[in-house]
Amino acid sequence: MTSSQPSGLGAEYADKASEAYRAALQVIESVEPRVAEATRKELEDQRSSLKLIASENYASPAVLLTMGTWFSDKYAEGTVGHRFYAACQNVDTVEALAAEHARELFGAPYAYAQPHSGIDANLVAYWAILATRVEAPGLAELGAKHVNDLSEADWETLRNRMGNQRLMGMSLDTGGHLTHGFRPNISGKMFHQRQYGTDPTTGFIDYDAVAAAVREFKPLVLVAGYSAYPRRVNFAKMREIADEVGATLMVDMAHFAGLVAGKVFTGDEDPVPFAHVTTTTTHKSLRGPRGGLVLATEEYAPAVDKGCPMVLGGPLSHVMAAKAVALAEARQPAFREYAQDVADNAQALANGFLKRDAALVTGGTDNHLVLLDVTSFGLTGRQAESALLDAGIVTNRNAIPADPNGAWYTSGIRLGTPALTTRGFGADDFDRVAELVVEVLQNTQPAAGPNGPSKAKYTLADGTAERVHAAASELLDANPLYPGLTL
Ligand code: PLP
């Protein structure tokens, strides 16, 4: 076991995990063998490919096994100790543990462990901000009536107020997320939105430009955080900008929560002390189960705590239990080493590309991801993604700023280091990964479709896929996933 691997992922648990999974698969097989088969195959596929998707990771067997229990069967709408369902005492235990670990890990006054995903966490946060900033004064003016006593006209006043607030977040093509005010997403429909971008020359956030845009638009909510921005953000500056117009600062740290937890991002780069509300997923660099979390200051906590019934129904109790396990893992000293390795490996990956003359958005990285501009290879993101997959390299295509190929075909490939770092990959391995990616892209040519030039079709030079597959297998075999686990 390397220092990067979480407890439960090391060989010392392999026998127990093997027994558990073998038994589980036999039980599943007796009901629907095709599901058991696909589950075995998924492990094989994950073991035998270079997983570079920046938002994915490998959770420990302890986290995975926690999700497969009878907590899945329990309804528990409400909050710890205050449920709309009976017999929730054990759910109370695991939800309270998840929240406690999250508060301790991130130094937050309050944590809400119920969101089912990152999108849910953001919706809970938005409605909590609206409830805190808009609904309460509205209700006060309406005579502080109980909700049941509000007339239709009162509701209409409230709806108009809630629905006409302003939000500003980072645009999708410069690295923001759909939920940060992108028009087709509900966040871009429930709010009057405007977006900030990055400097067109450097690709970096220009804080003066963000401040000017915020001064002009005066949003109620300023969102910071990203899905595909390869740089750190100065959250102290973002808070100053928000304060100037009285905006609530919400930070979505879904992508880099592991780097915050692992104390790689500290000081101005740690969003939690500066944001009024911080949201995250638990399954990306944080290496937990699929799910969301919301952290908040005392001021916003009461509204976030009403995530159910405001936005959510019954929490996924089995996933909250797994969040508690994953957050406990993230509090271990080994997680700090892991987080530092993730950042160091991203540097090695970026340098590996730069020394082979591949173009990177912003010219490099200082977080866990790089954004490769594949136009220099004469390819679209779609062609590059498909060719890499043929060679066993799993990435995802991603828009680059002002992308000439739009959000579907794109001109970029996003690559992240969290997953392979969990397997034990080091800096030299990531340099080799960069070499293999470049080898595939140099051997890929755009091809025409039946109606002329195509942004999807491509040809890969003979022998490339086999050669790269073989080289990747050497790296993968030296850094096995779930070492010792046999099904
Ligand atoms: N926020 C950010 C910044 C993300 O990158 C993502 C996922 O890609 C989400 C939110 C949504 O997370 P989920 O897929 O769990 O809903």
Side-chain angles (χ1 to χ4, degrees), residues 331-420:
R331 292 182 67 189
Q332 294 172 3
F335 195 84
R336 291 195 183 192
E337 290 174 42
Y338 165 69
Q340 190 57 54
D341 289 348
V342 166
D344 293 346
N345 285 339
Q347 287 290 327
L349 183 64
N351 292 336
F353 283 127
L354 294 172
K355 78 182 190 203
R356 294 175 178 91
D357 295 327
L360 297 180
V361 172
T362 77
T365 179
D366 48 31
N367 57 21
H368 64 295
L369 68 89
V370 302
L371 192 54
L372 184 61
D373 177 347
V374 294
T375 55
S376 55
F377 294 94
L379 300 170
T380 64
R382 173 81 188 265
Q383 289 160 334
E385 176 193 80
S386 304
L388 288 166
L389 195 57
D390 290 345
I393 302 179
V394 187
T395 62
N396 69 287
R397 65 188 188 278
N398 206 101
I400 61 173
D403 199 308
N405 289 313
W408 178 250
Y409 292 108
T410 82
S411 303
I413 287 290
R414 187 184 66 165
L415 307 100
T417 54
L420 292 181

Coordinates of all heavy atoms in Angstrom, one line a residue, residues 331-420:
R331 N -9.9 12.4 7.2 CA -9.3 13.1 8.3 C -8.0 12.4 8.7 O -7.3 12.8 9.7 CB -10.3 13.1 9.5 CG -11.5 14.0 9.2 CD -12.4 14.1 10.4 NE -11.8 14.7 11.6 CZ -12.4 14.8 12.8 NH1 -13.5 14.2 13.0 NH2 -11.8 15.4 13.8
Q332 N -7.7 11.3 8.1 CA -6.4 10.6 8.4 C -5.2 11.3 7.8 O -5.3 11.9 6.7 CB -6.4 9.1 7.9 CG -7.5 8.3 8.6 CD -7.6 6.9 7.9 OE1 -6.9 6.6 6.9 NE2 -8.6 6.1 8.3
P333 N -4.1 11.3 8.5 CA -2.9 11.9 7.9 C -2.6 11.5 6.5 O -2.1 12.3 5.7 CB -1.7 11.5 8.9 CG -2.4 11.1 10.1 CD -3.8 10.6 9.8
A334 N -2.8 10.2 6.1 CA -2.5 9.7 4.8 C -3.2 10.5 3.7 O -2.8 10.6 2.6 CB -2.8 8.2 4.7
F335 N -4.4 11.0 4.1 CA -5.2 11.8 3.1 C -4.4 13.1 2.6 O -4.5 13.5 1.5 CB -6.6 12.1 3.5 CG -7.5 12.5 2.4 CD1 -8.1 11.5 1.6 CD2 -7.7 13.8 2.1 CE1 -8.9 11.9 0.5 CE2 -8.5 14.2 1.0 CZ -9.1 13.3 0.2
R336 N -3.7 13.7 3.6 CA -3.0 14.9 3.2 C -1.9 14.6 2.2 O -1.6 15.3 1.3 CB -2.4 15.5 4.5 CG -3.4 16.1 5.4 CD -2.8 17.0 6.4 NE -3.9 17.5 7.3 CZ -3.7 18.5 8.2 NH1 -2.6 19.1 8.3 NH2 -4.7 18.8 8.9
E337 N -1.2 13.4 2.5 CA -0.2 13.0 1.5 C -0.8 12.7 0.1 O -0.3 13.1 -0.9 CB 0.5 11.7 2.0 CG 1.4 11.9 3.2 CD 1.9 10.6 3.7 OE1 2.3 9.7 2.9 OE2 1.9 10.4 5.0
Y338 N -2.0 12.1 0.2 CA -2.7 11.8 -1.1 C -3.0 13.1 -1.8 O -2.7 13.3 -3.0 CB -4.0 11.1 -0.8 CG -4.9 11.1 -2.0 CD1 -4.7 10.3 -3.1 CD2 -6.1 11.8 -1.9 CE1 -5.5 10.4 -4.2 CE2 -7.0 11.8 -3.0 CZ -6.7 11.1 -4.1 OH -7.6 11.1 -5.2
A339 N -3.5 14.1 -1.1 CA -3.9 15.4 -1.7 C -2.7 16.1 -2.3 O -2.8 16.6 -3.4 CB -4.7 16.3 -0.7
Q340 N -1.6 16.1 -1.6 CA -0.4 16.7 -2.1 C 0.1 16.0 -3.4 O 0.5 16.6 -4.3 CB 0.7 16.7 -1.0 CG 1.9 17.5 -1.4 CD 1.6 19.0 -1.7 OE1 1.0 19.7 -0.8 NE2 2.0 19.5 -2.8
D341 N 0.0 14.6 -3.3 CA 0.4 13.8 -4.5 C -0.5 14.2 -5.7 O 0.0 14.2 -6.8 CB 0.3 12.3 -4.2 CG 1.4 11.8 -3.3 OD1 2.3 12.6 -3.0 OD2 1.2 10.7 -2.7
V342 N -1.8 14.4 -5.5 CA -2.7 14.7 -6.6 C -2.2 16.0 -7.2 O -2.1 16.1 -8.5 CB -4.1 14.9 -6.0 CG1 -5.0 15.6 -7.1 CG2 -4.7 13.5 -5.7
A343 N -1.9 17.0 -6.4 CA -1.4 18.3 -7.0 C 0.0 18.1 -7.7 O 0.2 18.7 -8.8 CB -1.4 19.3 -5.9
D344 N 0.9 17.4 -7.0 CA 2.2 17.3 -7.6 C 2.1 16.5 -8.9 O 2.8 16.8 -9.9 CB 3.2 16.5 -6.7 CG 3.5 17.3 -5.4 OD1 3.2 18.5 -5.4 OD2 4.0 16.7 -4.4
N345 N 1.3 15.5 -9.0 CA 1.1 14.7 -10.2 C 0.5 15.5 -11.3 O 0.9 15.3 -12.5 CB 0.3 13.4 -9.9 CG 1.0 12.4 -9.1 OD1 2.3 12.4 -9.1 ND2 0.3 11.5 -8.4
A346 N -0.4 16.4 -11.0 CA -1.0 17.3 -12.0 C 0.1 18.2 -12.6 O 0.2 18.4 -13.8 CB -2.1 18.2 -11.4
Q347 N 1.1 18.6 -11.8 CA 2.2 19.4 -12.3 C 3.0 18.6 -13.3 O 3.4 19.0 -14.3 CB 3.2 19.8 -11.1 CG 2.7 20.9 -10.2 CD 2.6 22.2 -10.9 OE1 3.5 22.5 -11.8 NE2 1.7 23.0 -10.6
A348 N 3.3 17.3 -12.8 CA 4.1 16.4 -13.7 C 3.4 16.1 -15.0 O 4.0 16.1 -16.1 CB 4.3 15.1 -13.0
L349 N 2.1 16.0 -15.0 CA 1.3 15.7 -16.2 C 1.4 17.0 -17.1 O 1.6 16.8 -18.3 CB -0.2 15.4 -15.8 CG -1.1 15.1 -16.9 CD1 -0.7 13.8 -17.6 CD2 -2.6 15.0 -16.4
A350 N 1.2 18.1 -16.5 CA 1.2 19.4 -17.3 C 2.6 19.6 -17.9 O 2.7 19.8 -19.1 CB 0.9 20.6 -16.4
N351 N 3.6 19.3 -17.1 CA 5.0 19.5 -17.7 C 5.3 18.5 -18.8 O 6.0 18.8 -19.7 CB 6.0 19.4 -16.5 CG 6.0 20.5 -15.6 OD1 5.5 21.6 -16.0 ND2 6.4 20.3 -14.3
G352 N 4.7 17.3 -18.6 CA 4.9 16.3 -19.6 C 4.3 16.7 -20.9 O 4.8 16.4 -22.0
F353 N 3.1 17.4 -20.9 CA 2.5 17.9 -22.1 C 3.3 19.1 -22.7 O 3.6 19.1 -23.9 CB 1.1 18.4 -21.8 CG 0.1 17.2 -21.7 CD1 -0.7 17.1 -20.6 CD2 0.0 16.3 -22.7 CE1 -1.6 16.1 -20.5 CE2 -0.9 15.2 -22.6 CZ -1.7 15.1 -21.5
L354 N 3.7 20.0 -21.8 CA 4.4 21.2 -22.3 C 5.7 20.9 -23.0 O 6.1 21.4 -24.0 CB 4.6 22.2 -21.1 CG 3.3 22.8 -20.6 CD1 3.6 23.6 -19.3 CD2 2.5 23.6 -21.6
K355 N 6.5 19.9 -22.4 CA 7.8 19.6 -23.0 C 7.6 18.8 -24.3 O 8.6 18.7 -25.1 CB 8.7 18.8 -22.0 CG 8.4 17.4 -21.8 CD 9.4 16.8 -20.7 CE 9.3 15.3 -20.6 NZ 9.8 14.8 -19.4
R356 N 6.4 18.4 -24.6 CA 6.1 17.7 -25.9 C 5.3 18.7 -26.8 O 4.6 18.2 -27.7 CB 5.4 16.4 -25.6 CG 6.3 15.4 -24.9 CD 5.6 14.1 -24.6 NE 6.5 13.2 -23.9 CZ 6.8 13.1 -22.6 NH1 6.1 13.9 -21.8 NH2 7.7 12.3 -22.1
D357 N 5.4 20.0 -26.4 CA 4.8 21.0 -27.2 C 3.2 20.9 -27.4 O 2.7 21.4 -28.4 CB 5.4 21.1 -28.7 CG 6.8 21.4 -28.6 OD1 7.2 22.2 -27.7 OD2 7.6 20.9 -29.4
A358 N 2.6 20.3 -26.4 CA 1.1 20.3 -26.5 C 0.6 21.6 -25.7 O 1.2 22.0 -24.7 CB 0.6 19.1 -25.8
A359 N -0.5 22.2 -26.3 CA -1.0 23.4 -25.7 C -1.9 23.2 -24.5 O -2.9 22.4 -24.7 CB -1.7 24.2 -26.8
L360 N -1.7 23.9 -23.4 CA -2.6 23.8 -22.3 C -3.3 25.1 -22.0 O -2.6 26.2 -22.1 CB -1.8 23.4 -21.0 CG -1.1 22.0 -21.0 CD1 -0.4 21.8 -19.7 CD2 -2.1 20.9 -21.3
V361 N -4.6 25.1 -21.7 CA -5.3 26.3 -21.4 C -4.6 26.8 -20.1 O -4.4 26.1 -19.1 CB -6.8 26.0 -21.2 CG1 -7.5 27.2 -20.6 CG2 -7.4 25.6 -22.5
T362 N -4.3 28.1 -20.1 CA -3.6 28.8 -19.0 C -2.1 28.5 -19.0 O -1.4 28.9 -18.1 CB -4.1 28.7 -17.6 OG1 -3.8 27.4 -17.1 CG2 -5.6 28.9 -17.5
G363 N -1.6 27.6 -19.9 CA -0.2 27.2 -19.9 C 0.2 26.3 -18.8 O 1.4 26.1 -18.6
G364 N -0.7 25.7 -18.1 CA -0.3 24.8 -17.0 C -1.4 24.5 -16.0 O -2.6 24.6 -16.4
T365 N -1.1 24.2 -14.8 CA -2.0 23.9 -13.8 C -1.5 24.2 -12.4 O -0.2 24.1 -12.2 CB -2.5 22.4 -13.8 OG1 -3.4 22.1 -12.8 CG2 -1.3 21.4 -13.5
D366 N -2.3 24.5 -11.4 CA -1.9 24.4 -10.0 C -2.9 23.8 -9.2 O -3.0 24.0 -8.0 CB -1.3 25.7 -9.5 CG -2.3 26.9 -9.8 OD1 -3.5 26.6 -9.8 OD2 -1.8 28.0 -9.9
N367 N -3.8 23.0 -9.8 CA -4.7 22.2 -9.0 C -4.6 20.7 -9.4 O -3.5 20.2 -9.6 CB -6.1 22.7 -9.1 CG -6.7 22.8 -10.5 OD1 -6.2 22.2 -11.4 ND2 -7.7 23.7 -10.7
H368 N -5.7 20.0 -9.7 CA -5.7 18.6 -9.9 C -6.0 18.2 -11.4 O -6.2 17.1 -11.7 CB -6.8 17.9 -9.0 CG -8.1 18.4 -9.4 ND1 -8.5 19.7 -9.2 CD2 -9.2 17.7 -10.0 CE1 -9.8 19.8 -9.6 NE2 -10.2 18.7 -10.1
L369 N -6.1 19.3 -12.2 CA -6.5 19.0 -13.6 C -5.8 19.8 -14.6 O -5.3 20.9 -14.3 CB -8.0 19.2 -13.8 CG -8.6 20.6 -13.7 CD1 -8.7 21.2 -15.0 CD2 -10.1 20.5 -13.2
V370 N -5.7 19.3 -15.8 CA -5.2 20.1 -17.0 C -6.2 20.1 -18.1 O -7.0 19.1 -18.2 CB -3.8 19.5 -17.5 CG1 -2.8 19.5 -16.4 CG2 -4.0 18.2 -18.1
L371 N -6.2 21.1 -18.8 CA -7.1 21.2 -20.0 C -6.3 21.4 -21.2 O -5.6 22.4 -21.5 CB -8.0 22.5 -19.8 CG -9.3 22.6 -20.7 CD1 -10.1 21.3 -20.6 CD2 -10.1 23.8 -20.2
L372 N -6.3 20.3 -22.0 CA -5.4 20.2 -23.2 C -6.2 20.8 -24.4 O -7.4 20.3 -24.6 CB -5.1 18.7 -23.4 CG -4.2 18.3 -24.5 CD1 -2.8 18.9 -24.3 CD2 -4.1 16.7 -24.5
D373 N -5.6 21.7 -25.1 CA -6.2 22.3 -26.3 C -5.8 21.4 -27.5 O -4.7 21.5 -27.9 CB -5.7 23.7 -26.4 CG -6.3 24.4 -27.7 OD1 -6.8 23.7 -28.5 OD2 -6.1 25.6 -27.8
V374 N -6.8 20.7 -28.0 CA -6.4 19.7 -29.0 C -6.4 20.3 -30.5 O -6.2 19.6 -31.4 CB -7.2 18.4 -29.0 CG1 -6.9 17.6 -27.7 CG2 -8.7 18.6 -29.1
T375 N -6.7 21.6 -30.6 CA -6.7 22.2 -31.9 C -5.3 22.1 -32.5 O -5.2 22.0 -33.7 CB -7.2 23.6 -31.9 OG1 -6.5 24.4 -31.0 CG2 -8.7 23.7 -31.5
S376 N -4.3 22.1 -31.6 CA -2.9 22.1 -32.2 C -2.6 20.7 -32.8 O -1.7 20.6 -33.6 CB -1.9 22.3 -31.0 OG -2.1 21.4 -30.0
F377 N -3.5 19.7 -32.5 CA -3.3 18.4 -33.2 C -4.3 18.3 -34.4 O -4.4 17.3 -35.0 CB -3.6 17.3 -32.2 CG -2.7 17.1 -31.1 CD1 -2.9 17.7 -29.9 CD2 -1.5 16.4 -31.3 CE1 -2.0 17.6 -28.8 CE2 -0.6 16.3 -30.2 CZ -0.8 16.9 -29.0
G378 N -5.0 19.4 -34.7 CA -5.9 19.4 -35.8 C -7.2 18.6 -35.5 O -7.9 18.1 -36.4
L379 N -7.5 18.4 -34.2 CA -8.6 17.5 -33.8 C -9.7 18.3 -33.0 O -9.4 19.4 -32.5 CB -8.1 16.4 -32.9 CG -7.1 15.5 -33.6 CD1 -6.5 14.5 -32.5 CD2 -7.7 14.7 -34.7
T380 N -10.9 17.8 -33.0 CA -11.9 18.2 -32.0 C -11.7 17.4 -30.8 O -11.1 16.4 -30.8 CB -13.3 18.0 -32.6 OG1 -13.6 16.6 -32.7 CG2 -13.6 18.7 -33.9
G381 N -12.4 17.9 -29.7 CA -12.3 17.2 -28.4 C -13.0 15.8 -28.6 O -12.5 14.8 -28.0
R382 N -14.0 15.8 -29.4 CA -14.8 14.5 -29.6 C -13.9 13.5 -30.3 O -13.8 12.3 -29.9 CB -16.0 14.8 -30.4 CG -16.8 13.7 -30.9 CD -17.7 13.1 -29.9 NE -18.3 11.9 -30.3 CZ -19.5 11.8 -30.9 NH1 -20.2 12.8 -31.1 NH2 -20.0 10.6 -31.3
Q383 N -13.1 13.9 -31.3 CA -12.2 13.0 -32.0 C -11.1 12.5 -31.1 O -10.8 11.3 -31.0 CB -11.6 13.7 -33.2 CG -12.6 13.9 -34.4 CD -12.2 15.0 -35.3 OE1 -11.4 15.9 -35.0 NE2 -12.7 14.9 -36.6
A384 N -10.6 13.5 -30.3 CA -9.5 13.1 -29.4 C -9.9 12.1 -28.3 O -9.3 11.1 -28.0 CB -8.9 14.4 -28.8
E385 N -11.1 12.4 -27.7 CA -11.6 11.6 -26.7 C -11.8 10.1 -27.2 O -11.5 9.2 -26.5 CB -13.0 12.2 -26.2 CG -13.7 11.4 -25.2 CD -15.2 11.9 -25.0 OE1 -16.0 11.5 -25.9 OE2 -15.5 12.6 -24.1
S386 N -12.4 10.0 -28.4 CA -12.7 8.7 -28.9 C -11.4 7.9 -29.3 O -11.3 6.7 -29.0 CB -13.5 8.8 -30.2 OG -14.7 9.5 -30.0
A387 N -10.4 8.6 -29.9 CA -9.1 8.0 -30.2 C -8.4 7.5 -28.9 O -7.9 6.4 -28.9 CB -8.3 8.9 -31.0
L388 N -8.4 8.3 -27.9 CA -7.8 8.0 -26.7 C -8.4 6.8 -26.0 O -7.8 5.8 -25.5 CB -7.8 9.2 -25.7 CG -6.9 10.3 -26.0 CD1 -7.2 11.6 -25.2 CD2 -5.4 9.9 -25.8
L389 N -9.8 6.7 -26.1 CA -10.5 5.6 -25.6 C -10.1 4.3 -26.3 O -10.0 3.2 -25.7 CB -12.0 5.8 -25.7 CG -12.9 5.0 -24.8 CD1 -12.6 5.0 -23.3 CD2 -14.4 5.4 -25.0
D390 N -9.9 4.4 -27.6 CA -9.5 3.2 -28.4 C -8.2 2.6 -27.8 O -7.9 1.4 -27.9 CB -9.3 3.6 -29.8 CG -10.6 3.9 -30.6 OD1 -11.6 3.6 -30.0 OD2 -10.5 4.5 -31.7
A391 N -7.4 3.5 -27.2 CA -6.1 3.1 -26.7 C -6.1 2.8 -25.2 O -5.1 2.7 -24.6 CB -5.0 4.1 -27.1
G392 N -7.3 2.8 -24.7 CA -7.5 2.5 -23.2 C -7.2 3.7 -22.3 O -6.9 3.5 -21.1
I393 N -7.3 4.9 -22.8 CA -7.1 6.1 -22.0 C -8.5 6.8 -21.9 O -9.0 7.3 -22.9 CB -6.1 7.0 -22.6 CG1 -4.7 6.3 -22.8 CG2 -5.9 8.3 -21.8 CD1 -3.6 7.1 -23.4
V394 N -9.0 6.9 -20.7 CA -10.3 7.4 -20.5 C -10.2 8.8 -20.0 O -9.8 9.1 -18.9 CB -11.1 6.6 -19.4 CG1 -12.6 7.0 -19.4 CG2 -11.1 5.1 -19.8
T395 N -10.7 9.8 -20.9 CA -10.7 11.2 -20.6 C -12.1 11.7 -20.9 O -12.9 11.0 -21.4 CB -9.7 11.9 -21.5 OG1 -10.1 11.8 -22.8 CG2 -8.3 11.4 -21.3
N396 N -12.3 13.0 -20.7 CA -13.5 13.5 -21.3 C -13.3 14.8 -22.1 O -12.4 15.6 -21.7 CB -14.7 13.7 -20.3 CG -14.4 14.8 -19.3 OD1 -13.5 14.7 -18.4 ND2 -15.0 15.9 -19.4
R397 N -14.0 15.0 -23.2 CA -13.9 16.2 -24.0 C -14.5 17.3 -23.2 O -15.4 17.1 -22.4 CB -14.5 16.0 -25.4 CG -16.0 15.8 -25.3 CD -16.5 15.5 -26.7 NE -17.9 15.5 -26.8 CZ -18.7 14.4 -26.5 NH1 -18.2 13.4 -25.9 NH2 -20.0 14.5 -26.7
N398 N -14.0 18.5 -23.4 CA -14.4 19.7 -22.6 C -14.2 20.9 -23.4 O -13.2 21.1 -24.1 CB -13.5 19.7 -21.4 CG -14.3 20.4 -20.2 OD1 -14.8 19.8 -19.3 ND2 -14.3 21.8 -20.2
A399 N -15.2 21.8 -23.3 CA -15.0 23.1 -24.0 C -13.8 23.9 -23.5 O -13.4 23.8 -22.3 CB -16.3 24.0 -23.8
I400 N -13.2 24.6 -24.3 CA -12.1 25.6 -23.9 C -12.7 27.0 -24.1 O -13.7 27.1 -24.7 CB -10.8 25.4 -24.8 CG1 -11.1 25.7 -26.2 CG2 -10.2 24.0 -24.6 CD1 -9.8 25.7 -27.1
P401 N -12.1 28.0 -23.5 CA -12.7 29.3 -23.6 C -12.9 29.7 -25.1 O -12.1 29.5 -25.9 CB -11.6 30.3 -22.9 CG -11.0 29.3 -21.9 CD -10.9 28.0 -22.6
A402 N -14.1 30.3 -25.3 CA -14.5 30.7 -26.7 C -14.4 29.6 -27.7 O -13.8 29.8 -28.8 CB -13.7 32.0 -27.1
D403 N -14.8 28.4 -27.3 CA -14.6 27.2 -28.1 C -15.2 27.3 -29.5 O -16.4 27.4 -29.6 CB -15.1 26.0 -27.3 CG -14.5 24.7 -27.8 OD1 -14.5 24.5 -29.0 OD2 -14.0 23.9 -27.0
P404 N -14.3 27.2 -30.5 CA -14.9 27.2 -31.9 C -15.7 26.0 -32.2 O -16.5 26.1 -33.2 CB -13.6 27.2 -32.8 CG -12.5 26.6 -31.9 CD -12.8 27.0 -30.5
N405 N -15.6 24.9 -31.5 CA -16.4 23.7 -31.8 C -17.6 23.5 -30.9 O -18.3 22.5 -30.9 CB -15.5 22.5 -31.8 CG -14.6 22.5 -32.9 OD1 -15.0 22.7 -34.1 ND2 -13.3 22.3 -32.7
G406 N -17.9 24.5 -30.0 CA -19.1 24.4 -29.2 C -19.0 23.4 -28.1 O -18.0 22.7 -27.9
A407 N -20.1 23.3 -27.3 CA -20.0 22.4 -26.1 C -20.2 20.9 -26.4 O -19.9 20.1 -25.5 CB -21.1 22.9 -25.1
W408 N -20.6 20.6 -27.6 CA -20.8 19.1 -27.9 C -19.5 18.5 -28.4 O -19.0 17.5 -27.9 CB -22.0 18.9 -28.9 CG -22.1 17.5 -29.2 CD1 -21.9 16.9 -30.4 CD2 -22.6 16.4 -28.4 NE1 -22.1 15.5 -30.4 CE2 -22.6 15.2 -29.1 CE3 -23.0 16.4 -27.0 CZ2 -22.9 14.0 -28.6 CZ3 -23.3 15.1 -26.5 CH2 -23.3 14.0 -27.3
Y409 N -19.0 19.1 -29.5 CA -17.7 18.5 -30.1 C -16.5 19.0 -29.3 O -15.6 18.3 -29.1 CB -17.6 18.9 -31.6 CG -18.7 18.2 -32.4 CD1 -19.7 18.9 -32.9 CD2 -18.6 16.8 -32.6 CE1 -20.7 18.2 -33.6 CE2 -19.6 16.2 -33.3 CZ -20.7 16.9 -33.8 OH -21.6 16.2 -34.5
T410 N -16.5 20.3 -28.9 CA -15.4 20.9 -28.1 C -14.1 20.9 -28.8 O -13.8 20.2 -29.8 CB -15.3 20.3 -26.7 OG1 -14.5 19.1 -26.8 CG2 -16.6 20.1 -26.0
S411 N -13.1 21.6 -28.2 CA -11.7 21.6 -28.7 C -10.8 21.2 -27.6 O -9.6 21.4 -27.7 CB -11.4 23.0 -29.1 OG -12.3 23.4 -30.1
G412 N -11.3 20.7 -26.5 CA -10.4 20.4 -25.4 C -10.6 19.0 -24.8 O -11.6 18.3 -25.1
I413 N -9.6 18.5 -24.1 CA -9.7 17.3 -23.3 C -9.3 17.6 -21.9 O -8.2 18.3 -21.7 CB -8.6 16.3 -23.9 CG1 -9.1 15.7 -25.3 CG2 -8.4 15.1 -23.0 CD1 -10.3 14.8 -25.2
R414 N -10.1 17.2 -21.0 CA -9.8 17.5 -19.5 C -9.2 16.2 -18.9 O -9.8 15.2 -19.1 CB -11.1 17.9 -18.8 CG -10.9 18.4 -17.4 CD -12.3 18.6 -16.8 NE -13.1 17.4 -16.6 CZ -14.1 17.3 -15.8 NH1 -14.6 18.3 -15.1 NH2 -14.8 16.1 -15.7
L415 N -8.1 16.4 -18.2 CA -7.5 15.2 -17.6 C -7.2 15.6 -16.1 O -6.7 16.6 -15.8 CB -6.2 14.9 -18.3 CG -6.2 14.7 -19.8 CD1 -5.7 15.9 -20.5 CD2 -5.4 13.5 -20.2
G416 N -7.5 14.6 -15.3 CA -7.3 14.9 -13.8 C -6.5 13.8 -13.2 O -6.5 12.6 -13.7
T417 N -5.9 14.1 -12.1 CA -5.0 13.1 -11.4 C -5.5 12.4 -10.2 O -4.9 11.4 -9.7 CB -3.6 13.8 -11.0 OG1 -4.0 14.9 -10.2 CG2 -2.9 14.2 -12.2
P418 N -6.7 12.7 -9.7 CA -7.2 12.1 -8.4 C -7.3 10.5 -8.5 O -6.8 9.9 -7.6 CB -8.6 12.7 -8.2 CG -8.5 14.1 -8.8 CD -7.6 13.8 -10.0
A419 N -7.8 10.0 -9.6 CA -8.0 8.5 -9.6 C -6.7 7.8 -9.7 O -6.4 6.9 -8.9 CB -8.9 8.2 -10.8
L420 N -5.9 8.1 -10.7 CA -4.6 7.3 -10.8 C -3.7 7.6 -9.6 O -2.9 6.7 -9.3 CB -3.9 7.7 -12.1 CG -4.7 7.2 -13.4 CD1 -3.9 7.6 -14.7 CD2 -5.0 5.7 -13.3

